[in-house]
Amino acid sequence: MTAHHRFDDISIEDLVAQGSMKWTRNEGHLAAFVAEMDFGTAPAVSEALHTAIDHAQLGYLPPAVKTDMSQATSDYLTSHYDWKVAPGQIYPTADVLSAYTVVLETLSRPGAPVILPTPAYMPFLTLTPARGREVIQVPMIEGENGRLEMDLVSIAQGFEQGAEMFILCNPHNPLGRVYSREELEALAAVVDAHQGLVFSDEIHAPLTFPGHRHIPYASLSETTAHHTITATSASKAFNIPGLKCAQLIVSSPQHHETLEKVAFMVSHGAATPGVMANTAAYQSGGPWLEDVLSYIDTNRTLLADLLEKHLPQMGYRAPEGTYIAWLDATGLPPVAGDRSWAQFFSDEARVALTDGALCGEAGVGHLRLMLATPSHILEKIVIAMADAVANAQS
Ligand SMILES: Cc1ncc(COP(=O)(O)O)c(C=O)c1O
């Protein structure tokens, strides 16, 4: 028995009444499909938002607010990852996906394909072709102790086929991997040998579990600093993606020169209250986040126990970081028929999950499930899924 936590008192009715996208998109469903937490946000973030309203800080981004965020991010990177980045190299931007679009269009060779390890965060597979670029999907391969790792041989082949940019997602959505220094160094050697460019999506960086440490890819060496553009935000860890603020971190002088010319485009979408909220999260959100992480840590073990008890054919490896669980449904009895497993569980269990196929070919037969929910809801989700499988078999 774990000790009672205040998040245990949050009910489904509370969450539906709050009216989030997560809890209102699929009426009558248990919601586990979108990367949002059910825990609100840090008191420091709420205070910053009240200050924004009280001081009518609702206009375009004032220079001092921008500078404060760059400084707070720089301090956070130094204190958490020992990565020293001058505040002038940190741009506010609306979100990681718009930062990706700007980087794709201004720093990577027009028309060149993009290499993406799969399964991957879904929009990279749709946004990239929407910008006229082919995605070279490189399925992750089973490595040490069955964990999934980047396939460096196929990544090298992707560069040889004409790709220039590689999308690194660390900590990884949806696999929950937190790459080790050795893995990142091995990737760096391949990228360097092919003079590639890395878009390093580190939006989940503050969300790592004991035994795993986030290493910013650009911080590895001068070489990686020169071939990387990093995007991060307080939005996942502090549950504020609707506030529209992320950080684009530029660690190469050449990239800096190019991006300065489009700095307006990079930063125009960043919302002033969101920038203030990110500053507050980085400066003072630590105690809240520590509590949240320890709750999610319990949930990632609880999910293993629940699956073992109720749905043992479902494959699951606890994430090393993020609050995303990647479920392997390929061992389940074939009761879904022509439907994807996500559709089956939506129809038969009233549980909303992400269809792994949206994460690339390597994700077919898999599901994404969010762990940042009260434990009693996680339990309901697994039992509803298990009952649906049992009913379909009988
Ligand atoms: C890995 C990853 N990248 C990017 C995003 C989207 O971030 P943003 O809302 O800042 O575009 C998400 C959202 O869940 C994510 O998990």
Side-chain angles (χ1 to χ4, degrees):
M1 268 296 280
T2 48
H4 184 81
H5 190 284
R6 67 199 153 90
F7 295 157
D8 297 331
D9 296 328
I10 300 170
S11 69
I12 293 170
E13 293 71 30
D14 293 336
L15 293 165
V16 172
Q18 277 168 18
S20 65
M21 188 266 256
K22 184 182 179 198
W23 282 95
T24 58
R25 198 190 75 174
N26 303 70
E27 210 187 328
H29 282 61
L30 294 164
F33 66 100
V34 67
E36 289 186 355
M37 301 201 217
D38 295 336
F39 309 140
T41 189
V45 170
S46 300
E47 274 167 38
L49 292 172
H50 283 292
T51 304
I53 290 173
D54 292 346
H55 294 197
Q57 289 277 41
L58 304 173
Y60 292 117
L61 192 58
V65 174
K66 173 182 170 181
T67 306
D68 283 353
M69 187 217 71
S70 298
Q71 185 65 56
T73 308
S74 169
D75 293 345
Y76 188 90
L77 297 174
T78 305
S79 60
H80 287 71
Y81 315 121
D82 199 20
W83 186 23
K84 292 176 187 58
V85 182
Q89 294 168 237
I90 303 172
Y91 294 82
T93 188
D95 48 48
V96 167
L97 290 178
S98 57
Y100 168 65
T101 307
V102 172
V103 168
L104 185 68
E105 295 192 339
T106 57
L107 293 177
S108 101
R109 201 173 54 251
V114 174
I115 305 171
L116 180 66
T118 52
Y121 174 56
M122 304 78 74
F124 287 127
L125 287 142
T126 49
L127 251 185
T128 312
R131 298 281 161 172
R133 303 295 191 94
E134 182 199 346
V135 175
I136 299 179
Q137 295 189 35
V138 179
M140 306 270 282
I141 50 176
E142 213 168 288
E144 210 178 284
N145 312 319
R147 76 177 186 189
L148 287 174
E149 298 176 355
M150 287 180 277
D151 177 355
L152 297 178
V153 172
S154 301
I155 290 169
Q157 283 167 358
F159 284 119
E160 281 146 27
Q161 283 167 36
E164 187 194 27
M165 195 155 101
F166 175 84
I167 301 178
L168 174 67
C169 181
N170 185 35
H172 189 270
N173 173 0
L175 295 178
R177 285 294 326 281
V178 176
Y179 294 117
S180 67
R181 182 172 296 276
E182 293 69 35
E183 288 178 285
L184 295 174
E185 281 174 351
L187 171 69
V190 173
V191 175
D192 188 40
H194 295 87
Q195 298 189 345
L197 172 72
V198 173
F199 178 78
S200 191
D201 174 349
E202 303 186 9
I203 195 170
H204 293 275
L207 297 163
T208 59
F209 299 112
H212 302 278
R213 191 168 184 273
H214 174 69
I215 303 171
Y217 177 74
S219 75
L220 280 180
S221 65
E222 195 136 322
T223 303
T224 59
H226 277 84
H227 69 217
T228 306
I229 296 274
T230 306
T232 191
S233 174
S235 63
K236 289 293 130 188
F238 293 90
N239 205 25
I240 48 174
L243 287 176
K244 290 292 147 200
C245 174
Q247 295 81 40
L248 191 63
I249 305 171
V250 184
S251 44
S252 136
Q254 282 94 327
H255 296 163
H256 196 245
E257 202 181 311
T258 308
L259 285 172
E260 271 298 298
K261 293 183 195 136
V262 291
F264 176 77
M265 201 164 110
V266 172
S267 294
H268 186 60
T272 301
V275 174
M276 294 168 77
N278 270 246
T279 304
Y282 286 136
Q283 284 176 340
S284 318
W288 180 87
L289 180 59
E290 207 176 301
D291 183 35
V292 164
L293 270 173
S294 100
Y295 193 87
I296 301 170
D297 190 8
T298 309
N299 269 1
R300 68 184 180 130
T301 312
L302 175 67
L303 179 60
D305 296 344
L306 289 168
L307 289 172
E308 193 183 319
K309 186 166 164 201
H310 301 287
L311 200 52
Q313 307 98 324
M314 184 74 91
Y316 164 65
R317 208 181 153 87
E320 300 164 351
T322 80
Y323 50 80
I324 298 164
W326 183 242
L327 303 180
D328 179 357
T330 56
L332 292 184
V335 291
D338 291 341
R339 291 173 288 183
S340 67
W341 281 108
Q343 192 61 51
F344 171 82
F345 286 120
S346 174
D347 294 343
E348 312 297 338
R350 312 289 280 168
V351 174
L353 301 156
T354 314
D355 180 0
L358 300 174
C359 301
E361 283 146 36
V364 172
H366 292 70
L367 296 152
R368 248 178 31 139
L369 178 154
M370 297 305 143
L371 291 166
T373 197
S375 300
H376 65 94
I377 297 182
L378 186 60
E379 187 171 356
K380 278 198 182 69
I381 286 172
V382 175
I383 291 174
M385 290 168 70
D387 286 350
V389 172
N391 290 340
Q393 277 180 292
S394 60

